[in-house]
Amino acid sequence: MKGIAYKEVLNPSQLEAVMTDKGPLLVIAGAGSGKTRTLVYRVARLVEVGVDPENILLLTFTRKAAGEMLERAAGLSDARCRFVSGGTFHSLANRVLRSYADLLEFDRAFTILDRSDMEEVIRSLVQESQMNRGVGRFPKTGTLANILSKAANFGGSLETCMEEEYFQFLPVLDQVDRLRHLYTEFKKSHSMMDYDDLILFFRQLLEQEESVRKELGERYSHIMVDEYQDTNAIQADIVKWLGFEHQNVMVVGDDSQSIYSFRGANYRNMFEFPSLFPGAKVIKLEENYRSTQPILTFTNALMEQAGEKYTKCLFTKREGGEKPKVVNTRTDPDQARYVSRFIREEMERGRPLSDFAVLFRAGYHSFELEVELARLSIPYVKYGGFKFLESAHIKDFLAHLRVIANRNDRVSWGRILRLLKNVGHAKSNAIIKWMRTEGKRPADLGEWPSAGKNTGGIKSLSELLGILSSKDMAPKTASEKVMEYYTPILEEKFDDFPRRARELEQLVHMAGRYKKIRAFLDDLTLEPPTSSADLDGNPKGERLTLSTVHSAKGLEWSVVFIIWLMEGRFPPARAYQNDEALEEERRLLYVAATRAKDQLILCYPGQESVPSWQTAGYGLRNGLSSFIQALPAEVVTFESGFMYPGSRPSPREWARQVPSPKGAGGNHHFRQGDRVKHPAFGVGVVSRFLDTDKVEVFFQNVGRKLLHLEYTTLEKM
């Protein structure tokens, strides 16, 4: 163990936070102000002064973040820092509930439902109860899941939730309330909990069971919570009860970075912490270690316009830097060309692609850019909007393991049975009912009395489940067995099975990190990969990052582009419905801008118009985002995106110079980059010509399609 010279490595505010090791503490940490550093050194400090590592609890919003912090703390002083309890609210709730599930009359082997599982259960309950018959318009499954989840997360009544956001469905309030009760009963009878249940039941335990509260209070004598601005009311209550006995609670956050209200996050938790913990000390971290001062001047000015906030002024000791650029690229295709050409020229100067990121408000905003990057052969990876675990092949694969972990998991049983030939909903439901009534184990599936020649697949599935049921089977071995069984089904079910097979192989590889199937499944559900590239944890080759702002939070790049910064897109038109929504959009832009270390480029296609159906009723004008228009003129520079650095041709001039294949497009007059419309596939962009009459088009809704121009209707827009 080695001592740390805290005064030499921490600034005064960080030092005060680290040295305050007793009582409640609120740390307001501006973007890039060394928040993580402060948490790491405080963990090291607590262990250094004699606090048992297992008595320290570090709550973060990803377990990966907690693990990295504890590794850093261990490297600073004492290897025992690795034994600090770190994780997410949901993972902590999962651990605690599996120990005390009997107090809630739950089976300890409960399955955790992810969002798509939840929707499948709801769809089944609606169909079985026929509550949507003869009642006029009834909410779709996804909407019902949203209503039930929001009512749970926001802590209000179902009626209040629907009045505020789903008033159009108030005529069927009684049916939705009935569904809620059916859903609750279904989960309990089948040993299931969804994400919301984990923290709701955790809070219930802490509130109602004094013995549990005291035991956890003794186990975790010092509590630290990262990203506190992203907690919801339930999580704030959990923090209150965990620290109830000793009050040694430190929360760290930035109200200016609260961007998750759609999942219940309440930035006001930052303001209410001193009420939950009277006498709490408040410390502000304002020195920024990431960005240049011109970028910070921009972000300070942006948040100066905010209504409710903790006033702070970010500053840096870094010298130099250029003002953020606001670039009018005129059109969406020109915006894509501007960004792509800028990046390619920097690459030619030797700059790595990892230096750049392009951020946007919504996943579809990068459509034109993706086409242009592909045309220029610039590799990229996109984050945001991709739900890896909701892919059919991944859910199929994991369902075979889930029924071993919880034989009552009706959702997974239905999924694996319906993969078999001649087994539909009715037959799968009959099998599930038989197994439950007769108390059969998964390996007993082959004994189903109605199995015949047309259901021969049941025997093969039964044999697989018998193998998987072997005591102490390693997750990787189990996954390999499932892979062997599922591959023929995969090849028959999907045209793109080679890609899907590669993703499943990475899943098998991931399973090798675990000793128990239950732990493997829980981790995948609680912290799913955000893209298939995350599976191996080591993507090959350099790639440009494209990301929604929500997915970029916590990351940083040397050069950051923010695209589509115009009214109706960022902020979106719907944000004008209420002041709180608009304030969150401002915070979202703040998060995006503070990702930039050296250069911030803000792009908007000024001649584009947002469809009238999106802006109806809001009185919006097209053009530059009002967030930027309201800033003092001196904090940014305004440029035209028509000319590239070094007086190169404008995007439009440059596009005209791109040679087309001889005869490309025949007599159809299409050119590379043309925006087109297909009667079935919708809007797209011509990406390349393969022959005189064959053209590849990148469609917004269905991806790439190869079309023969003699036999298709393609309209130039």
Side-chain angles (χ1 to χ4, degrees), residues 308-380:
E308 192 175 13
K309 61 183 181 292
Y310 273 115
T311 301
K312 55 186 172 297
C313 185
L314 297 181
F315 68 93
T316 183
K317 293 178 180 175
R318 287 185 62 185
E319 296 181 356
E322 62 182 51
K323 292 180 182 180
K325 294 178 183 176
V326 177
V327 182
N328 182 359
T329 62
R330 192 163 51 182
T331 68
D332 187 10
D334 284 345
Q335 179 176 247
R337 294 187 187 104
Y338 174 82
V339 173
S340 301
R341 185 65 177 267
F342 187 103
I343 291 171
R344 191 172 75 165
E345 289 179 352
E346 290 297 307
M347 289 170 60
E348 290 170 354
R349 295 188 179 104
R351 197 161 192 177
L353 268 177
S354 56
D355 273 4
F356 301 90
V358 184
L359 308 183
F360 30 85
R361 175 62 182 84
Y364 71 90
H365 288 174
S366 65
F367 168 62
E368 293 274 5
L369 178 59
E370 290 178 62
V371 172
E372 188 63 23
L373 291 170
R375 202 187 71 79
L376 293 178
S377 300
I378 298 176
Y380 66 89

Side-chain angles (χ1 to χ4, degrees), residues 473-488:
M473 172 162 280
K476 185 173 184 182
T477 305
S479 298
E480 289 170 343
K481 296 295 182 183
V482 175
M483 186 73 177
E484 185 179 323
Y485 166 85
Y486 181 65
T487 296

Side-chain angles (χ1 to χ4, degrees), residues 5 20 32 35 40 112-113 185 225 248 274 278 287 296 305 341 358 401 469 481 521 534 551 563 580:
T20 304
K35 165 181 68 73
V40 167
I112 303 171
L113 296 172
E185 291 168 6
V225 185
N248 296 327
E287 184 174 351
L296 298 179
Q305 304 169 41
R341 185 65 177 267
V358 184
L401 300 177
S469 299
K481 296 295 182 183
L521 294 174
D534 288 352
S551 296
I563 61 174
E580 286 198 6

